[in-house]
Amino acid sequence: MSFTVRPMEEDDRLPVARVFAKVAEERDGIATEPPVDVEARASRAQLEGSFVAVADGGVIGSLHLVSTSFGYAEIGMHVAKEWRGRGVGSALMEAAIEWSRGQGLHKLALSVFPHNTGAIALYNKFGFVEEGRRVKHMRRQSGELWDLIDMGLLLEEPSAG
Ligand SMILES: CC(C)(COP(=O)(O)OP(=O)(O)OC[C@H]1O[C@@H](n2cnc3c(N)ncnc32)[C@H](O)[C@@H]1OP(=O)(O)O)[C@@H](O)C(=O)NCCC(=O)NCCS
């Protein structure tokens, strides 16, 4: 089945939060672990800079950019498990990069767990490079301490000075 990517709209709030909550249950790729307050998350989502992937009328993934006043934005993204490996993440990232260029941002940044090889492969494909590693940074509910890799993508050459 095919999918489309478009900017997030008001009616996407709950569906996006529900997919996020499912992904959190995996306790693997994203930092958040259950329980997720779906309604609260839905209501505080920022539509500006957020994109959804939709198939058969339902949300199957999303990406959000949190822009800073320093010219860079932080990315968070997730795709429903049954839709992974089919180009959804790539299509969301393409939309994010295009939007960011349009906004005049010079850089995209994100953090990823070292074991998240699928996500890292996606980011590498778009030119993101590892910029650093925060050691034993995230305490999981299990008590484990996970490293976090910081990655960045420069969208334009830095100007002199
Ligand atoms: C990370 C994630 C968003 C990727 O989305 P996706 O729809 O599976 O990505 P795509 O299908 O567009 O794959 C992009 C590339 O990554 C690579 N890739 C994807 N899954 C992979 C895997 N499990 N192992 C290795 N490489 C993988 C592929 O090489 C693909 O490149 P290609 O198009 O040249 O084949 C998705 O796996 C996800 O939501 N995971 C759980 C939440 C998460 O980890 N979010 C990111 C937190 S930093």
Side-chain angles (χ1 to χ4, degrees):
M1 196 194 292
S2 64
F3 65 88
T4 54
V5 166
R6 59 165 171 76
M8 183 172 169
E9 297 166 1
E10 204 54 48
D11 287 348
D12 299 321
R13 287 179 182 279
L14 266 179
V16 164
R18 285 194 192 109
V19 175
F20 178 86
K22 279 298 269 185
V23 175
E25 281 171 19
E26 295 174 39
R27 300 180 191 273
D28 183 44
I30 61 174
T32 302
E33 295 181 86
V36 173
D37 185 335
V38 171
E39 275 76 24
R41 188 172 173 89
S43 64
R44 68 169 183 261
Q46 183 86 39
L47 299 186
E48 174 84 5
S50 293
F51 297 87
V52 291
V54 178
D56 201 18
V59 169
I60 57 167
S62 69
L63 179 154
H64 66 273
L65 289 144
V66 180
S67 292
T68 70
S69 51
F70 307 108
Y72 73 90
E74 296 268 357
I75 290 186
M77 67 187 297
H78 57 275
V79 172
K81 194 165 190 175
E82 55 277 19
W83 274 91
R84 291 180 198 155
R86 297 203 238 168
V88 176
S90 298
L92 285 165
M93 185 62 80
E94 273 165 28
I97 291 172
E98 190 186 327
W99 183 87
S100 301
R101 287 190 198 281
Q103 296 289 309
L105 297 172
H106 76 278
K107 184 175 178 181
L108 295 177
L110 54 83
S111 301
V112 59
F113 293 128
H115 63 258
N116 198 348
T117 48
I120 292 170
L122 165 64
Y123 304 143
N124 284 331
K125 181 174 127 181
F126 282 90
F128 282 82
V129 294
E130 182 172 335
E131 297 185 334
R133 184 167 179 136
R134 305 189 210 189
V135 177
K136 296 190 186 301
H137 199 63
M138 306 288 284
R139 180 156 61 213
R140 308 297 287 171
Q141 287 175 9
S142 66
E144 288 173 40
L145 301 176
W146 288 3
D147 290 1
L148 203 56
I149 293 174
D150 288 327
M151 300 186 81
L153 172 68
L154 284 170
L155 297 175
E156 61 181 21
E157 293 300 316
S159 55

